[in-house]
Amino acid sequence: MDLNQVRYFLNLAESLNFTEAARVSGVSQPSLTKAIQRLEDELGGPVLFRDGKDTRLTALGRDLIVEFMRIQSALTNIHELAENSIAGRSRKINIGVASTIAPRTFSAFWAHILRELPEVELHLHPLEPGETETEVLSGKYDICLLTNPPEPNFKLAIQPLFEEQLRLALANDHPLSDLDEVSQEQMMEQPYIDRIHCEFRTQLIKHFMDRDIVMRPRFQSEREDWVQQMVAQGAGVCTVPERSLISKGLVLRPVKDLTLSRHVSMVAISGSGNPREVRVILGKAREFDWSLPSDS
């Protein structure tokens, strides 16, 4: 197996069209076809079904995609590392962050990393809905910050960071803000602002339905800043993880008998499969004090 076969296969898996894959790969269609046939001979099985104009991946072909993407990513990292070293440039680390993780808890940590690794550039990307640790395995990101830890996997380094409780967010001048704890009946009486990307959304709906409590949202958004700003303006209340406030003018209160929480983890490729800088970041995350600030 050679590296061109890896590249040809990934281009073919994306388009499922030999003509288009050959064009993207910069080779003739017969050359690409022969390379794929050699790959199938070496692996001992077909990677594609060919049925006239219908081409689709076999189970083997689907299994190869992630592994071949890792190879391609490793090659990209090698070239980038060499180019950066020769040119004296910084090492870029791509980090996927779950959309509901707020920056406040992490800003001190990333500032610490920038001081400890002056050669590193950190590029943070919001994870799209449905993106998980698979994006680390595919090489799309070097690190992911996830709100639900993945299942144990020998290919992954999973570093737990902290647990946070779900709380009720209120405007700081809201009548219920003076209470130490809000009852579910009091919460039900308030206009509700719905965080569409909330990890707890399904659990919350079930929790309230089991208690014959119906929450009727007056405002819905996928964006945390819009939701929280509406709450700060007194338009309603919302539930939010306790470290996720990003708007001023809000207070958090526990809801009686509502005990939902989430675990935030840092995930990367395990062992020497990831860059040295990523292994350093994982070690620093293990040592970092993630306790909730006293003023939160």
Side-chain angles (χ1 to χ4, degrees), residues 272-288:
S272 58
N274 57 25
R276 178 191 67 86
E277 294 85 353
V278 172
R279 298 197 296 273
V280 171
I281 291 172
L282 286 169
K284 297 295 182 184
R286 192 177 305 114
E287 301 166 357
F288 194 75

Side-chain angles (χ1 to χ4, degrees), residues 39-59:
L39 177 65
E40 292 178 324
D41 290 341
E42 292 169 10
L43 295 175
V47 297
L48 293 128
F49 286 119
R50 302 170 184 84
D51 183 11
K53 292 184 178 180
D54 182 25
T55 301
R56 59 189 187 276
L57 293 173
T58 65

Side-chain angles (χ1 to χ4, degrees), residues 89 92 97 150 175 185 188 198 202-203 229 261:
R89 293 194 298 264
K92 180 171 70 175
V97 183
E185 290 73 21
M188 180 181 64
C198 177
T202 301
Q203 294 168 273
Q229 195 59 44
S261 64

